Amino acid sequence: AKENVYFSTDFYLNRITNGVEWTLAGYDTLPVPRPHYRSDNSLEQTIGGVEVLLKYKISKHWGVENSLAFTAISNQSSIPAYKGIIARGVNNVGQGRYGQNYVPPYIYNAIVSFDLKRLHANLHYQYSASHTWQWPGWDAKTRKDKFGLKPVPAYDLLNAYVGVEIIKHFGVAIEAYNLLNNLHTEWRGDESYFGRAVWARINVQY
């Protein structure tokens, strides 16, 4: 039936002027050499994307949802170090302190949900495409920022939620993130990884 199907396509375009970027302001030599930074309103950024959403009500209690989101970023920096050959040529990641490829170009979500009176549950699968940060790291020898690439490999997640409404406006829930314990990094390709996590939640609504 038509009333069991929902489809939507959303477009967005945001422009940010005078965005903040951190720049190297100098360094201290005692007790050991270390940098200090300042914030500059030097970034103009355009963020655009599209999300396609499809929901289908299988039965009274079961439903599925699929969405695919695409995102693109364009940066214009007024700081020479963030718009010169380091940013545009060698690394080819665009302008700006972190480049402009530091968000996944696309993310896919699939959700299976179950609702029965006061019981609500869902199983959520998410796939995030690979992307790359340009990540400056301070070089103690040269006393300058040293630019490098920090790749974030593609990753997928399986999350779950089970909640019960005990009385009106009050309920409890258990949520699980990354059920399969797929160790991954989600930003700048650093050495910290996100593993499985489970927590309880109390919901109070007025």
Side-chain angles (χ1 to χ4, degrees), residues 85-167:
I85 189 171
I86 293 178
R88 291 186 292 105
V90 177
N91 292 343
N92 193 30
V93 294
Q95 292 189 26
R97 180 173 174 81
Y98 307 115
Q100 55 195 37
N101 298 327
Y102 54 83
V103 297
Y106 65 90
I107 298 176
Y108 170 72
N109 287 280
I111 301 174
V112 178
S113 59
F114 176 79
D115 295 285
L116 178 62
K117 295 182 179 180
R118 296 184 176 182
L119 175 65
H120 310 282
N122 68 58
L123 193 63
H124 174 204
Y125 171 81
Q126 181 182 87
Y127 175 85
S128 293
S130 61
H131 51 288
T132 302
W133 291 69
Q134 174 178 267
W135 193 260
W138 193 66
D139 190 328
K141 293 182 179 180
T142 64
R143 306 292 200 267
K144 297 179 180 180
D145 274 341
K146 182 179 180 180
F147 289 86
L149 292 182
K150 296 287 188 177
V152 178
Y155 60 89
D156 53 4
L157 301 172
L158 188 63
N159 308 319
Y161 170 91
V162 179
V164 178
E165 185 181 7
I166 299 175
I167 58 176

Side-chain angles (χ1 to χ4, degrees), residues 9-56:
T9 303
D10 296 316
F11 298 88
Y12 69 92
L13 183 66
N14 297 322
R15 183 166 177 78
I16 301 171
T17 59
N18 298 319
V20 174
E21 289 186 290
W22 291 95
T23 57
L24 184 64
Y27 59 90
D28 300 322
T29 57
L30 296 175
V32 294
R34 59 181 181 181
H36 51 89
Y37 294 85
R38 69 169 184 267
S39 60
D40 291 319
N41 297 100
S42 57
L43 186 68
E44 292 188 7
Q45 186 177 75
T46 302
I47 305 175
V50 57
E51 181 176 16
V52 180
L53 174 65
L54 176 64
K55 293 183 180 181
Y56 178 64

